Coordinates of all heavy atoms in Angstrom, one line a residue:
M1 N 17.0 17.3 -6.3 CA 17.6 17.9 -5.1 C 18.1 16.8 -4.1 O 17.3 15.9 -3.8 CB 16.7 18.9 -4.5 CG 17.2 19.5 -3.2 SD 16.2 20.9 -2.6 CE 16.8 22.2 -3.6
T2 N 19.3 16.9 -3.7 CA 19.8 15.9 -2.7 C 19.8 16.5 -1.3 O 19.6 17.7 -1.1 CB 21.2 15.5 -3.1 OG1 22.1 16.7 -3.0 CG2 21.3 15.0 -4.5
K3 N 20.2 15.6 -0.4 CA 20.3 16.0 1.0 C 21.4 17.1 1.2 O 21.2 18.1 1.9 CB 20.6 14.8 1.9 CG 20.4 15.1 3.4 CD 20.9 13.9 4.2 CE 20.0 12.7 4.0 NZ 20.4 11.7 5.0
T4 N 22.4 17.0 0.4 CA 23.5 18.0 0.4 C 23.0 19.3 -0.1 O 23.3 20.4 0.5 CB 24.7 17.5 -0.4 OG1 25.1 16.3 0.1 CG2 25.8 18.5 -0.4
D5 N 22.2 19.3 -1.1 CA 21.6 20.6 -1.6 C 20.7 21.2 -0.6 O 20.7 22.4 -0.4 CB 20.8 20.3 -2.9 CG 21.6 19.8 -4.0 OD1 22.8 20.1 -4.1 OD2 21.1 19.1 -4.9
L6 N 19.9 20.4 0.2 CA 19.1 20.9 1.2 C 19.9 21.6 2.3 O 19.6 22.7 2.8 CB 18.2 19.8 1.8 CG 17.1 19.4 0.9 CD1 16.4 18.1 1.5 CD2 16.0 20.4 0.7
V7 N 21.0 20.9 2.7 CA 21.9 21.4 3.8 C 22.5 22.8 3.3 O 22.5 23.8 4.1 CB 23.0 20.4 4.1 CG1 24.1 21.1 4.9 CG2 22.5 19.2 4.8
E8 N 22.9 22.9 2.1 CA 23.4 24.1 1.5 C 22.4 25.3 1.5 O 22.7 26.4 1.9 CB 24.0 23.9 0.2 CG 25.3 23.1 0.2 CD 25.8 22.8 -1.2 OE1 25.2 23.2 -2.2 OE2 26.8 22.0 -1.3
K9 N 21.2 24.9 1.2 CA 20.1 25.9 1.2 C 19.7 26.4 2.6 O 19.5 27.6 2.8 CB 18.9 25.4 0.4 CG 19.1 25.3 -1.1 CD 17.8 25.3 -1.8 CE 18.1 25.2 -3.3 NZ 18.0 26.4 -4.0
I10 N 19.7 25.5 3.5 CA 19.5 25.8 4.9 C 20.6 26.7 5.4 O 20.4 27.8 6.1 CB 19.4 24.6 5.8 CG1 18.1 23.8 5.5 CG2 19.4 24.9 7.3 CD1 18.0 22.4 6.1
Q11 N 21.8 26.4 5.1 CA 23.0 27.1 5.5 C 22.9 28.6 4.9 O 23.1 29.5 5.7 CB 24.3 26.5 5.0 CG 25.5 27.2 5.3 CD 26.7 26.7 4.6 OE1 26.6 25.8 3.8 NE2 27.9 27.1 5.0
A12 N 22.5 28.7 3.7 CA 22.5 30.0 3.0 C 21.3 30.8 3.6 O 21.5 32.0 3.8 CB 22.3 29.8 1.5
S13 N 20.2 30.2 3.8 CA 19.0 31.0 4.2 C 19.0 31.4 5.7 O 18.5 32.4 6.1 CB 17.7 30.3 3.9 OG 17.6 29.1 4.6
I14 N 19.6 30.5 6.6 CA 19.5 30.8 8.0 C 20.9 31.3 8.5 O 20.9 32.0 9.5 CB 19.1 29.5 8.8 CG1 17.7 29.1 8.4 CG2 19.2 29.7 10.3 CD1 17.3 27.8 9.0
G15 N 21.9 31.0 7.8 CA 23.3 31.4 8.3 C 23.9 30.5 9.3 O 24.9 30.9 9.9
L16 N 23.4 29.2 9.4 CA 24.1 28.3 10.2 C 25.3 27.7 9.5 O 25.5 27.9 8.3 CB 23.1 27.1 10.5 CG 21.9 27.3 11.3 CD1 21.0 26.1 11.3 CD2 22.2 27.7 12.7
S17 N 26.2 27.1 10.3 CA 27.3 26.4 9.7 C 26.8 25.2 8.9 O 25.7 24.7 9.2 CB 28.4 26.0 10.8 OG 27.8 24.9 11.5
R18 N 27.6 24.7 8.0 CA 27.2 23.6 7.2 C 27.0 22.4 8.2 O 26.0 21.6 8.0 CB 28.3 23.2 6.2 CG 27.9 22.1 5.3 CD 29.0 21.8 4.3 NE 29.2 22.9 3.4 CZ 28.9 23.0 2.2 NH1 28.5 21.9 1.6 NH2 29.1 24.0 1.4
K19 N 27.8 22.2 9.2 CA 27.7 21.1 10.1 C 26.4 21.2 10.9 O 25.6 20.2 11.1 CB 28.8 21.0 11.1 CG 28.8 19.9 12.0 CD 30.0 19.9 12.9 CE 29.9 18.7 13.9 NZ 31.1 18.7 14.9
D20 N 26.0 22.4 11.4 CA 24.8 22.6 12.2 C 23.6 22.4 11.3 O 22.6 21.8 11.7 CB 24.8 24.0 12.8 CG 25.8 24.2 13.9 OD1 26.2 23.1 14.5 OD2 26.1 25.3 14.3
A21 N 23.6 22.9 10.0 CA 22.5 22.7 9.1 C 22.3 21.2 8.8 O 21.2 20.7 8.8 CB 22.8 23.4 7.8
A22 N 23.4 20.4 8.7 CA 23.3 19.0 8.4 C 22.7 18.3 9.6 O 21.8 17.4 9.5 CB 24.7 18.4 8.1
V23 N 23.1 18.7 10.8 CA 22.6 18.1 12.1 C 21.1 18.4 12.2 O 20.3 17.5 12.5 CB 23.4 18.6 13.3 CG1 22.7 18.2 14.6 CG2 24.8 18.0 13.3
M24 N 20.7 19.6 11.9 CA 19.3 20.0 12.0 C 18.5 19.2 11.0 O 17.4 18.6 11.4 CB 19.1 21.5 11.7 CG 17.7 21.9 11.9 SD 17.5 23.7 11.7 CE 17.7 23.9 10.0
L25 N 18.9 19.1 9.8 CA 18.2 18.3 8.8 C 18.1 16.8 9.1 O 17.0 16.2 9.0 CB 18.9 18.5 7.4 CG 18.1 17.8 6.2 CD1 16.8 18.5 6.0 CD2 19.0 18.0 4.9
E26 N 19.2 16.2 9.6 CA 19.1 14.8 10.0 C 18.2 14.6 11.2 O 17.5 13.6 11.2 CB 20.5 14.4 10.4 CG 21.4 14.1 9.2 CD 20.9 12.9 8.4 OE1 20.3 12.0 8.9 OE2 21.2 13.0 7.2
S27 N 18.1 15.6 12.1 CA 17.2 15.5 13.2 C 15.8 15.5 12.7 O 14.9 14.7 13.2 CB 17.5 16.7 14.2 OG 16.6 16.6 15.2
V28 N 15.4 16.4 11.8 CA 14.1 16.5 11.3 C 13.7 15.2 10.6 O 12.6 14.6 10.8 CB 13.9 17.7 10.3 CG1 12.6 17.6 9.6 CG2 14.0 19.0 11.1
F29 N 14.6 14.7 9.7 CA 14.4 13.4 9.0 C 14.2 12.3 10.0 O 13.3 11.4 9.8 CB 15.5 13.1 8.0 CG 15.4 13.9 6.8 CD1 16.6 14.1 6.0 CD2 14.3 14.5 6.4 CE1 16.6 14.8 4.9 CE2 14.2 15.3 5.2 CZ 15.4 15.4 4.5
S30 N 15.0 12.2 11.1 CA 14.9 11.2 12.1 C 13.5 11.2 12.8 O 12.9 10.2 13.0 CB 16.0 11.3 13.1 OG 15.9 10.4 14.1
I31 N 13.1 12.4 13.2 CA 11.8 12.5 13.8 C 10.7 12.1 12.9 O 9.7 11.4 13.3 CB 11.6 14.0 14.3 CG1 12.5 14.3 15.4 CG2 10.1 14.2 14.7 CD1 12.6 15.8 15.7
M32 N 10.7 12.5 11.6 CA 9.7 12.1 10.7 C 9.7 10.6 10.5 O 8.7 10.0 10.4 CB 10.0 12.8 9.3 CG 9.7 14.3 9.3 SD 10.1 15.1 7.8 CE 8.8 14.5 6.8
K33 N 10.9 10.0 10.3 CA 11.0 8.5 10.1 C 10.4 7.8 11.3 O 9.6 6.8 11.2 CB 12.4 8.1 10.0 CG 12.6 6.7 9.7 CD 14.1 6.3 9.6 CE 14.3 4.8 9.6 NZ 15.7 4.5 9.8
E34 N 10.7 8.2 12.5 CA 10.2 7.5 13.7 C 8.7 7.7 13.8 O 8.0 6.7 14.2 CB 10.8 8.1 15.0 CG 12.3 7.8 15.2 CD 13.0 8.6 16.3 OE1 12.3 9.3 17.0 OE2 14.2 8.4 16.4
S35 N 8.2 8.8 13.5 CA 6.7 9.0 13.5 C 6.0 8.2 12.5 O 5.0 7.5 12.8 CB 6.4 10.5 13.2 OG 6.9 11.3 14.3
L36 N 6.6 8.1 11.3 CA 6.0 7.3 10.2 C 6.0 5.8 10.5 O 5.1 5.0 10.3 CB 6.6 7.6 8.9 CG 6.3 9.0 8.3 CD1 7.2 9.3 7.2 CD2 4.9 9.1 7.9
E37 N 7.2 5.3 11.2 CA 7.3 4.0 11.6 C 6.2 3.6 12.6 O 5.8 2.5 12.6 CB 8.7 3.7 12.1 CG 9.8 3.6 11.1 CD 11.1 3.5 11.7 OE1 11.3 3.7 12.9 OE2 12.1 3.2 10.9
A38 N 5.9 4.6 13.4 CA 4.8 4.3 14.5 C 3.4 4.4 13.9 O 2.4 4.2 14.6 CB 5.0 5.4 15.6
G39 N 3.3 4.7 12.6 CA 2.0 4.8 11.9 C 1.3 6.1 12.0 O 0.2 6.2 11.7
E40 N 2.0 7.1 12.5 CA 1.4 8.4 12.6 C 1.4 9.1 11.3 O 2.2 8.9 10.4 CB 2.3 9.3 13.6 CG 2.3 8.8 15.0 CD 3.2 9.6 15.9 OE1 3.2 10.8 15.7 OE2 3.8 9.0 16.8
T41 N 0.5 10.1 11.1 CA 0.4 10.9 9.9 C 1.1 12.2 10.2 O 1.0 12.8 11.3 CB -1.1 11.2 9.6 OG1 -1.7 10.0 9.3 CG2 -1.2 12.2 8.4
I42 N 1.9 12.7 9.3 CA 2.6 13.9 9.4 C 2.0 15.0 8.5 O 1.9 14.8 7.3 CB 4.1 13.8 9.0 CG1 4.8 12.8 10.0 CG2 4.8 15.1 9.1 CD1 6.2 12.5 9.6
K43 N 1.4 16.0 9.1 CA 0.8 17.1 8.4 C 1.6 18.4 8.6 O 1.8 18.8 9.7 CB -0.6 17.3 8.9 CG -1.5 16.2 8.7 CD -2.9 16.5 9.3 CE -3.8 15.2 9.2 NZ -5.1 15.5 9.7
I44 N 2.1 18.9 7.4 CA 2.9 20.1 7.4 C 2.0 21.2 6.7 O 1.8 21.1 5.5 CB 4.2 19.9 6.8 CG1 5.0 18.8 7.5 CG2 5.0 21.2 6.7 CD1 6.2 18.3 6.8
S45 N 1.6 22.2 7.5 CA 0.8 23.2 7.0 C 1.4 23.9 5.8 O 2.6 24.3 5.9 CB 0.4 24.2 8.1 OG -0.4 25.3 7.6
G46 N 0.7 24.1 4.7 CA 1.2 24.8 3.5 C 2.1 23.9 2.7 O 2.6 24.3 1.6
F47 N 2.3 22.6 3.1 CA 3.1 21.7 2.3 C 2.3 20.5 1.9 O 2.1 20.2 0.7 CB 4.4 21.4 3.1 CG 5.3 20.6 2.3 CD1 6.1 21.1 1.3 CD2 5.6 19.2 2.6 CE1 7.0 20.4 0.5 CE2 6.5 18.5 1.9 CZ 7.2 19.1 0.9
G48 N 1.9 19.7 2.9 CA 1.2 18.5 2.6 C 1.2 17.5 3.7 O 1.6 17.8 4.8
S49 N 0.7 16.3 3.5 CA 0.7 15.2 4.5 C 1.3 13.9 4.0 O 1.2 13.5 2.9 CB -0.8 14.9 4.8 OG -1.5 16.0 5.3
F50 N 2.1 13.3 4.9 CA 2.6 12.0 4.7 C 1.7 11.0 5.5 O 1.6 11.2 6.7 CB 4.1 11.9 5.2 CG 5.0 12.8 4.5 CD1 5.3 14.1 4.9 CD2 5.7 12.3 3.4 CE1 6.2 14.9 4.2 CE2 6.6 13.1 2.7 CZ 6.8 14.4 3.1
V51 N 1.2 10.0 4.8 CA 0.3 9.1 5.4 C 0.7 7.7 5.2 O 1.1 7.3 4.0 CB -1.2 9.3 4.8 CG1 -2.2 8.3 5.4 CG2 -1.6 10.7 4.9
V52 N 0.7 6.9 6.3 CA 1.0 5.4 6.2 C -0.3 4.7 6.1 O -1.1 4.9 7.0 CB 1.9 5.0 7.4 CG1 2.1 3.5 7.3 CG2 3.2 5.7 7.5
S53 N -0.5 3.9 5.1 CA -1.7 3.1 5.0 C -1.3 1.7 4.7 O -0.2 1.3 4.3 CB -2.6 3.7 3.9 OG -1.9 3.8 2.7
R54 N -2.3 0.8 5.0 CA -2.1 -0.6 4.9 C -2.7 -1.1 3.6 O -3.8 -0.7 3.2 CB -2.7 -1.4 6.0 CG -2.1 -1.1 7.3 CD -2.7 -2.0 8.4 NE -2.0 -1.8 9.7 CZ -0.9 -2.5 10.1 NH1 -0.4 -3.4 9.3 NH2 -0.4 -2.3 11.2
K55 N -2.0 -2.0 2.9 CA -2.5 -2.7 1.7 C -2.8 -4.1 2.1 O -1.8 -4.8 2.7 CB -1.6 -2.6 0.5 CG -1.6 -1.3 -0.2 CD -0.9 -1.5 -1.5 CE -1.4 -0.5 -2.5 NZ -0.9 -0.7 -3.8
A56 N -3.9 -4.6 1.9 CA -4.2 -6.0 2.2 C -3.5 -7.0 1.2 O -3.1 -6.6 0.1 CB -5.8 -6.2 2.1
A57 N -3.4 -8.2 1.7 CA -2.9 -9.3 0.8 C -3.8 -9.4 -0.4 O -5.0 -9.3 -0.2 CB -2.7 -10.6 1.6
R58 N -3.3 -9.8 -1.5 CA -4.1 -10.0 -2.7 C -3.5 -11.0 -3.6 O -2.3 -11.3 -3.5 CB -4.3 -8.6 -3.4 CG -3.0 -8.0 -3.9 CD -3.3 -6.6 -4.4 NE -2.1 -5.9 -4.7 CZ -1.5 -5.8 -5.9 NH1 -2.0 -6.5 -6.9 NH2 -0.4 -5.2 -6.0
R59 N -4.3 -11.5 -4.5 CA -3.9 -12.4 -5.6 C -3.2 -11.6 -6.7 O -3.7 -10.6 -7.1 CB -5.0 -13.2 -6.1 CG -5.8 -14.0 -5.1 CD -5.3 -15.3 -4.7 NE -5.0 -16.1 -6.0 CZ -4.4 -17.2 -6.0 NH1 -3.9 -17.7 -4.9 NH2 -4.2 -17.9 -7.1
G60 N -2.1 -12.2 -7.2 CA -1.5 -11.6 -8.3 C -1.0 -12.6 -9.3 O -1.3 -13.8 -9.1
R61 N -0.3 -12.2 -10.3 CA 0.2 -13.2 -11.3 C 1.7 -12.8 -11.6 O 2.0 -11.7 -11.8 CB -0.6 -13.1 -12.6 CG -1.0 -14.4 -13.0 CD -2.1 -14.3 -14.1 NE -3.4 -14.8 -13.8 CZ -3.6 -16.0 -13.4 NH1 -2.7 -16.9 -13.4 NH2 -4.9 -16.3 -13.1
N62 N 2.5 -13.8 -11.7 CA 3.9 -13.6 -12.2 C 3.8 -13.3 -13.7 O 3.4 -14.2 -14.4 CB 4.7 -14.9 -11.9 CG 6.2 -14.8 -12.3 OD1 6.5 -14.0 -13.2 ND2 7.0 -15.5 -11.7
P63 N 4.3 -12.2 -14.1 CA 4.1 -11.8 -15.5 C 5.0 -12.7 -16.5 O 4.6 -12.9 -17.6 CB 4.6 -10.4 -15.6 CG 5.3 -10.1 -14.4 CD 4.9 -11.1 -13.3
Q64 N 6.0 -13.3 -16.0 CA 6.9 -14.1 -16.8 C 6.3 -15.5 -17.0 O 6.3 -16.1 -18.1 CB 8.3 -14.3 -16.3 CG 9.1 -13.0 -16.4 CD 10.5 -13.1 -15.8 OE1 10.7 -14.0 -14.9 NE2 11.4 -12.4 -16.4
T65 N 5.8 -16.1 -15.9 CA 5.3 -17.5 -16.0 C 3.8 -17.6 -16.1 O 3.2 -18.7 -16.4 CB 5.8 -18.3 -14.8 OG1 5.2 -17.8 -13.6 CG2 7.3 -18.3 -14.7
G66 N 3.1 -16.5 -15.7 CA 1.6 -16.6 -15.6 C 1.1 -17.3 -14.4 O -0.1 -17.5 -14.2
E67 N 2.0 -17.7 -13.5 CA 1.7 -18.5 -12.3 C 1.0 -17.5 -11.3 O 1.4 -16.4 -11.1 CB 2.9 -19.0 -11.6 CG 2.8 -19.7 -10.3 CD 4.1 -20.1 -9.7 OE1 5.1 -19.9 -10.3 OE2 4.0 -20.5 -8.5
A68 N -0.1 -18.0 -10.6 CA -0.8 -17.2 -9.6 C 0.0 -17.2 -8.4 O 0.6 -18.2 -7.9 CB -2.2 -17.9 -9.3
I69 N 0.1 -16.0 -7.8 CA 0.9 -15.8 -6.5 C 0.1 -15.0 -5.6 O -0.9 -14.3 -6.0 CB 2.3 -15.2 -6.8 CG1 2.1 -13.8 -7.4 CG2 3.2 -16.1 -7.6 CD1 3.4 -13.0 -7.5
T70 N 0.4 -15.0 -4.3 CA -0.2 -14.1 -3.3 C 0.8 -13.0 -3.0 O 1.9 -13.3 -2.6 CB -0.5 -14.9 -2.0 OG1 -1.4 -16.0 -2.4 CG2 -1.2 -14.0 -1.0
I71 N 0.4 -11.8 -3.1 CA 1.2 -10.6 -2.8 C 0.8 -10.3 -1.3 O -0.3 -10.1 -1.0 CB 0.8 -9.4 -3.7 CG1 1.1 -9.8 -5.2 CG2 1.6 -8.2 -3.3 CD1 0.7 -8.8 -6.2
E72 N 1.8 -10.3 -0.5 CA 1.6 -10.1 0.9 C 1.1 -8.8 1.3 O 1.4 -7.8 0.6 CB 3.0 -10.4 1.7 CG 3.4 -11.8 1.5 CD 4.7 -12.1 2.3 OE1 5.1 -11.3 3.1 OE2 5.4 -13.1 2.0
A73 N 0.5 -8.7 2.5 CA 0.0 -7.4 3.0 C 1.3 -6.6 3.3 O 2.3 -7.1 3.7 CB -0.8 -7.6 4.2
R74 N 1.1 -5.3 3.2 CA 2.2 -4.4 3.5 C 1.7 -3.0 3.8 O 0.6 -2.6 3.6 CB 3.2 -4.3 2.4 CG 2.6 -3.8 1.1 CD 3.6 -3.9 -0.1 NE 3.2 -3.2 -1.3 CZ 2.4 -3.7 -2.2 NH1 1.8 -4.9 -2.0 NH2 2.0 -3.0 -3.2
K75 N 2.6 -2.2 4.3 CA 2.3 -0.8 4.6 C 2.9 0.1 3.4 O 4.0 -0.3 2.9 CB 2.9 -0.3 5.9 CG 2.3 -0.9 7.1 CD 3.0 -0.4 8.3 CE 2.5 -1.1 9.6 NZ 3.2 -0.6 10.8
V76 N 2.3 1.1 3.0 CA 2.8 2.0 2.0 C 2.7 3.4 2.5 O 1.8 3.8 3.3 CB 2.0 1.9 0.7 CG1 2.2 0.5 0.0 CG2 0.6 2.1 0.8
L77 N 3.7 4.2 2.0 CA 3.7 5.6 2.4 C 3.3 6.4 1.2 O 3.7 6.3 0.1 CB 5.2 6.0 2.8 CG 5.4 7.5 3.1 CD1 4.6 7.9 4.3 CD2 6.9 7.7 3.3
T78 N 2.3 7.3 1.5 CA 1.8 8.2 0.4 C 2.0 9.7 0.9 O 2.0 10.0 2.0 CB 0.4 8.0 0.1 OG1 -0.4 8.1 1.2 CG2 0.2 6.6 -0.5
F79 N 2.2 10.5 -0.1 CA 2.2 12.0 0.1 C 1.1 12.6 -0.6 O 0.9 12.4 -1.8 CB 3.6 12.6 -0.4 CG 3.6 14.0 -0.2 CD1 3.8 14.6 1.0 CD2 3.5 14.9 -1.3 CE1 3.8 16.0 1.1 CE2 3.6 16.2 -1.2 CZ 3.7 16.8 0.0
K80 N 0.4 13.5 0.1 CA -0.7 14.2 -0.5 C -0.4 15.7 -0.3 O -0.3 16.2 0.8 CB -2.0 13.9 0.3 CG -2.5 12.5 0.1 CD -3.8 12.3 0.8 CE -4.2 10.8 0.7 NZ -5.5 10.5 1.3
P81 N -0.1 16.4 -1.4 CA 0.3 17.8 -1.3 C -0.9 18.7 -0.9 O -2.0 18.4 -1.2 CB 0.7 18.1 -2.8 CG 0.0 17.1 -3.6 CD -0.2 15.9 -2.8
G82 N -0.6 19.7 -0.1 CA -1.6 20.6 0.3 C -1.9 21.6 -0.8 O -1.2 21.7 -1.8
S83 N -3.0 22.3 -0.6 CA -3.5 23.2 -1.7 C -2.5 24.3 -2.0 O -2.3 24.7 -3.2 CB -4.9 23.8 -1.4 OG -4.8 24.5 -0.2
V84 N -1.8 24.8 -1.0 CA -0.8 25.9 -1.2 C 0.3 25.4 -2.1 O 0.7 26.0 -3.1 CB -0.3 26.4 0.1 CG1 0.9 27.4 -0.1 CG2 -1.4 27.0 1.0
L85 N 0.8 24.2 -1.8 CA 1.9 23.6 -2.6 C 1.4 23.3 -4.0 O 2.1 23.6 -5.0 CB 2.5 22.3 -1.9 CG 3.5 21.6 -2.7 CD1 4.8 22.4 -2.9 CD2 3.9 20.3 -2.0
R86 N 0.3 22.7 -4.1 CA -0.3 22.4 -5.4 C -0.5 23.6 -6.3 O -0.1 23.6 -7.5 CB -1.6 21.7 -5.3 CG -2.1 20.9 -6.4 CD -3.3 20.1 -6.1 NE -3.4 19.9 -4.7 CZ -4.4 19.8 -3.9 NH1 -5.6 19.8 -4.4 NH2 -4.3 19.6 -2.6
D87 N -1.0 24.7 -5.7 CA -1.1 25.9 -6.4 C 0.2 26.5 -6.9 O 0.3 27.0 -8.0 CB -1.9 26.9 -5.6 CG -3.4 26.5 -5.4 OD1 -3.9 25.6 -6.1 OD2 -4.0 27.1 -4.5
A88 N 1.2 26.4 -6.0 CA 2.5 27.0 -6.3 C 3.2 26.2 -7.5 O 3.8 26.8 -8.4 CB 3.4 26.9 -5.1
I89 N 3.0 24.9 -7.5 CA 3.5 24.0 -8.5 C 2.9 24.4 -9.9 O 3.5 24.4 -10.9 CB 3.4 22.5 -8.2 CG1 4.3 22.2 -7.1 CG2 3.7 21.7 -9.4 CD1 4.1 20.8 -6.5
N90 N 1.6 24.6 -9.8 CA 0.8 24.9 -11.0 C 0.9 26.4 -11.4 O 0.2 26.8 -12.4 CB -0.6 24.5 -10.9 CG -0.8 23.0 -10.8 OD1 -0.2 22.3 -11.6 ND2 -1.6 22.5 -9.9
G91 N 1.7 27.2 -10.7 CA 1.9 28.6 -11.1 C 0.7 29.5 -10.8 O 0.6 30.6 -11.3
E92 N -0.1 29.1 -9.9 CA -1.3 29.9 -9.5 C -0.9 30.8 -8.4 O -0.1 30.4 -7.5 CB -2.5 29.0 -9.2 CG -2.9 28.1 -10.3 CD -4.0 27.1 -9.9 OE1 -4.6 27.3 -8.8 OE2 -4.2 26.2 -10.7
A93 N -1.5 32.0 -8.3 CA -1.3 32.9 -7.2 C -1.8 32.4 -5.9 O -2.8 31.7 -5.9 CB -1.9 34.3 -7.5
V94 N -1.0 32.6 -4.9 CA -1.4 32.1 -3.5 C -2.0 33.2 -2.7 O -1.6 34.3 -2.7 CB -0.2 31.4 -2.8 CG1 -0.6 30.9 -1.4 CG2 0.3 30.3 -3.6

């Protein structure tokens, strides 16, 4: 599913114009992006949580040369589905 598909589904279900649906979706994505950049967790009831966590620097190996390298510390984004979403995906009654 693409962003365009989401805009079309919003348009069909709410009755907004395509332009208004696109603006609304972009606004939601922008708010989510800003929150995640600030390190906040986003919890959406019935859907799941987006969590930013830190990975420490660690030793690694270049698979081509076998040379030891240091993999720098970084932030990673993870998504943990809520039980309602997990049950829906697995076809279980909610």
Side-chain angles (χ1 to χ4, degrees):
M1 177 171 275
T2 65
K3 194 184 294 187
T4 303
D5 296 332
L6 288 171
V7 168
E8 289 174 5
K9 290 201 179 259
I10 291 170
Q11 178 189 13
S13 66
I14 299 177
L16 294 174
S17 69
R18 183 179 296 248
K19 182 179 178 183
D20 288 343
V23 168
M24 185 175 74
L25 184 63
E26 283 297 329
S27 178
V28 169
F29 285 157
S30 176
I31 292 167
M32 290 176 72
K33 180 182 172 192
E34 290 169 5
S35 298
L36 292 168
E37 285 174 347
E40 297 177 32
T41 297
I42 298 176
K43 296 180 183 178
I44 302 172
S45 179
F47 187 71
S49 300
F50 294 91
V51 181
V52 176
S53 52
R54 294 184 176 272
K55 281 193 151 189
R58 59 189 172 92
R59 302 275 309 170
R61 229 171 248 296
N62 180 332
Q64 289 182 331
T65 64
E67 176 187 356
I69 58 171
T70 300
I71 300 171
E72 296 181 14
R74 63 188 188 275
K75 293 179 185 177
V76 294
L77 176 63
T78 58
F79 174 73
K80 296 181 181 180
S83 59
V84 174
L85 177 61
R86 196 170 340 144
D87 292 344
I89 290 172
N90 290 316
E92 298 173 17
V94 179

